[in-house]
């Protein structure tokens, strides 16, 4: 983690130097061109929020690692990341033990002062939130994207369009209209869930969220529980600004491990042990039922039609498949 953070911070200043040498006065409007470790800046900022929580749990070397992590978040110059970071630090100030507050707030204040001194224009532009033309266009794209997503959702409210099909669903509504700003990323996590998974799939995620919140509440006296709660809350807030969580495997993996990490010292009772098997059984049954159309797709002649580029015949086999219709 330390090597990755150091590499990302150093590469940012190489990128900034290139922008300034090209004749531009600051890097704010070019930050989307910077891809630390292969991520676009919005996704990278969300990954860093999750990493910051894990650094709190690590405790060893947490102060220098937190400094690099929080510095990298600030260097993303993402409005959503700044808001999420503010909520994260406020939660820590209110609920973390004194030692954990110092380990987080000391590097946070240092990183803020350093960015404010070295990069005042970029930080000031980010804190303005909605004054520049690019910020206004980004806000408009979220509004138009939400409106298009709602229109798409009303056509398939219960089952949605399927995993990864958000862009296909809204492209015909927004993407083909050159007068409206368009982005392939959903404006928020609830919007993406409703479009791709419908009401049925969204309820599954909502149930999982409630169970995680209940588990955290049961362990609320543990410092680790508060750290995990703050981390998940920060990532959720960031995903309400731009939905990247479902499309970033490393975020999903670290999110799934956090509740398990909290319960690492517990043992299941006999009664709990029996009920514990119901959850994976339900998940497997849901996955099988959810993918029945995909299994049918593999057993019919659709693949032959696609190989022959006979798209009309392939669409006739599966008129409900949004990707085929888009193709």
């Amino acid at each position: 983690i330390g090597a990755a953070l150091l590499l990302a911070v150093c590469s940012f200043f190489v990128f900034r130097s290139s922008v300034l040498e090209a004749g531009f006065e600051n890097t704010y409007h070019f930050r989307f061109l910077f891809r630390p470790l292969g991520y676009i800046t919005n996704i990278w900022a969300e990954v860093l929020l999750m990493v910051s929580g894990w650094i709190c749990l690590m405790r060893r070397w947490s102060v220098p690692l937190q400094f690099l992590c929080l510095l990298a978040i600030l260097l993303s110059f993402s409005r959503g990341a700044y808001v999420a970071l503010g909520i994260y630090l406020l939660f820590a100030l209110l609920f973390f033990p004194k030692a954990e507050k110092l380990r987080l707030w000391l590097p946070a204040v240092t990183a803020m002062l350093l960015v404010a001194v070295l990069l005042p224009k970029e930080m000031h532009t980010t804190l303005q939130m909605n004054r520049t033309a690019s910020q206004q266009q980004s806000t408009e794209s979220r509004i138009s994207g939400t409106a298009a997503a709602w229109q798409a959702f009303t056509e398939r409210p219960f089952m949605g369009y399927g995993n990864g099909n958000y862009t296909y669903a809204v492209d015909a509504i927004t993407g083909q209209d050159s007068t409206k700003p368009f982005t392939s990323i959903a404006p928020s996590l609830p919007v993406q869930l409703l479009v791709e998974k419908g009401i049925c799939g969204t309820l599954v995620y909502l149930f999982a969220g409630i169970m995680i919140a209940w588990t955290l509440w049961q362990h609320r006296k543990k410092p680790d529980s508060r750290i995990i709660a703050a981390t998940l809350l920060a990532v959720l807030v960031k995903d309400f600004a731009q939905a990247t969580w479902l499309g970033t495997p490393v975020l999903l993996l670290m999110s799934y491990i956090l509740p398990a990490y909290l319960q690492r010292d517990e043992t299941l009772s006999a009664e709990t042990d029996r009920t514990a098997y119901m959850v994976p059984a339900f998940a497997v049954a849901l996955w099988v039922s959810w993918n029945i159309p995909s299994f049918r797709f593999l057993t019919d002649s659709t693949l032959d039609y696609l190989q022959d580029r006979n798209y009309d015949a392939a669409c006739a086999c599966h008129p409900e498949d949004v990707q085929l219709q888009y193709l």
Side-chain angles (χ1 to χ4, degrees):
I1 289 176
L5 292 174
L6 186 62
L7 179 63
V9 170
C10 292
S11 61
F12 170 81
F13 286 99
V14 174
F15 167 77
R16 170 176 166 78
S17 176
S18 300
V19 171
L20 297 180
E21 288 178 1
F24 299 97
E25 62 178 7
N26 62 64
T27 56
Y28 178 84
H29 300 288
F30 298 90
R31 70 197 185 285
F32 62 90
L33 297 176
F34 174 60
R35 286 178 171 259
L37 275 65
Y39 294 101
I40 64 173
T41 51
N42 271 317
I43 297 178
W44 177 236
E46 194 163 336
V47 171
L48 289 173
L49 288 168
M50 180 66 71
V51 170
S52 177
W54 275 106
I55 292 173
C56 287
L57 294 172
M58 289 163 48
R59 291 181 175 85
R60 189 177 184 182
W61 300 102
S62 62
V63 172
L65 291 179
Q66 280 290 13
F67 170 74
L68 290 173
C69 184
L70 297 173
L71 180 63
I73 292 175
L74 294 171
L75 293 178
S76 70
F77 302 115
S78 166
R79 295 175 294 169
Y82 275 39
V83 172
L85 179 61
I87 293 175
Y88 177 59
L89 293 175
L90 179 61
F91 190 103
L93 183 64
L94 295 176
F95 301 111
F96 281 17
K98 186 176 180 180
E100 301 300 335
K101 289 178 185 178
L102 290 175
R103 290 194 187 101
L104 183 61
W105 268 91
L106 181 62
V109 172
T110 306
M112 290 178 190
L113 291 175
L114 188 62
V115 173
V117 171
L118 296 180
L119 307 163
K121 290 184 179 180
E122 291 88 338
M123 193 172 191
H124 179 66
T125 302
T126 307
L127 293 174
Q128 286 178 321
M129 291 294 172
N130 203 43
R131 289 197 60 181
T132 67
S134 62
Q135 289 173 338
Q136 293 171 2
Q137 186 178 19
S138 177
T139 302
E140 291 173 5
S141 70
R142 287 172 170 81
I143 296 173
S144 61
T146 303
W150 174 255
Q151 184 177 342
F153 166 73
T154 56
E155 297 178 4
R156 295 187 182 183
F158 295 105
M159 298 301 292
Y161 290 81
N163 297 339
N165 286 334
Y166 170 81
T167 304
Y168 296 111
V170 302
D171 182 64
I173 301 170
T174 303
Q176 304 297 329
D177 188 350
S178 60
T179 63
K180 296 180 180 179
F182 176 75
T183 176
S184 59
I185 302 177
S188 68
L189 180 61
V191 169
Q192 183 180 6
L193 286 174
L194 288 172
V195 171
E196 293 187 359
K197 306 175 189 304
I199 295 175
C200 297
T202 302
L203 288 176
V204 175
Y205 279 84
L206 181 61
F207 175 74
I210 292 173
M211 294 305 298
I212 291 174
W214 174 248
T215 302
L216 292 171
W217 176 256
Q218 286 182 316
H219 297 80
R220 60 188 179 277
K221 294 183 179 180
K222 295 182 179 180
D224 287 356
S225 178
R226 301 176 189 182
I227 293 172
I228 292 171
T231 304
L232 293 178
L233 178 63
V235 172
L236 182 63
V237 170
K238 175 63 179 66
D239 231 53
F240 268 82
Q242 201 167 37
T244 59
W245 180 67
L246 287 175
T248 311
V250 67
L251 268 177
L252 290 172
L253 177 63
M254 290 192 289
S255 301
Y256 295 155
I257 294 175
L258 277 177
Y261 179 86
L262 181 63
Q263 303 173 80
R264 64 193 183 280
D265 297 327
E266 296 183 2
T267 57
L268 293 176
S269 63
E271 181 181 355
T272 314
D273 192 39
R274 288 193 297 269
T275 59
Y277 291 107
M278 296 175 61
V279 176
F282 172 74
V284 170
L286 182 66
W287 180 82
V288 171
S289 62
W290 202 280
N291 286 276
I292 284 176
S294 301
F295 295 145
R296 191 178 75 243
F297 179 86
L298 293 174
T299 57
D300 62 18
S301 57
T302 308
L303 289 177
D304 296 331
Y305 289 136
L306 289 176
Q307 290 176 353
D308 296 336
R309 300 197 176 191
N310 190 348
Y311 301 125
D312 292 334
C315 290
C317 292
H318 300 282
E320 76 285 353
D321 194 306
V322 66
Q323 294 193 44
L324 284 176
Q325 298 296 336
Y326 185 84
L327 185 62

